[in-house]
Amino acid sequence: MLFMIAGLVMVVAAIAWAVLGVHALLLGRMPGQWLPGLVRHPRLWGAGALLVLVSWNLGSPSLLVVAIGIVALGHVAKPMR
């Protein structure tokens, strides 16, 4: 029973992560009140977020490291404007 609940939580978290990633990648902005203040490059963050899910499905730890790096760059890179 506990594993079924944990699996359901993981699926819901993956769907929420995918929605945030697609939203950031396509629209170029983050939803909510505090996410726009945390993420400087939403499109870069969104691409990294979707790559995290792809690496999770493929089971590739090296791709996961690259994806986490891209998400981190979306947080810390200064805007070019």
Side-chain angles (χ1 to χ4, degrees):
M1 182 70 176
L2 184 63
F3 289 114
M4 194 167 22
I5 293 171
L8 182 63
V9 168
M10 291 292 289
V11 168
V12 169
I15 290 171
W17 189 259
V19 167
L20 283 175
V22 169
H23 185 277
L25 187 62
L26 294 180
L27 298 179
R29 59 186 178 88
M30 297 299 290
Q33 295 177 358
W34 56 274
L35 274 176
L38 292 175
V39 177
R40 293 185 180 180
H41 285 285
R43 291 183 195 251
L44 190 62
W45 187 93
L50 293 177
L51 201 56
V52 166
L53 293 175
V54 169
S55 69
W56 181 37
N57 286 335
L58 294 177
S60 173
S62 58
L63 187 59
L64 180 64
V65 169
V66 170
I68 290 172
I70 292 173
V71 169
L73 278 176
H75 280 284
V76 298
K78 291 185 178 179
M80 294 172 51
R81 298 178 197 143

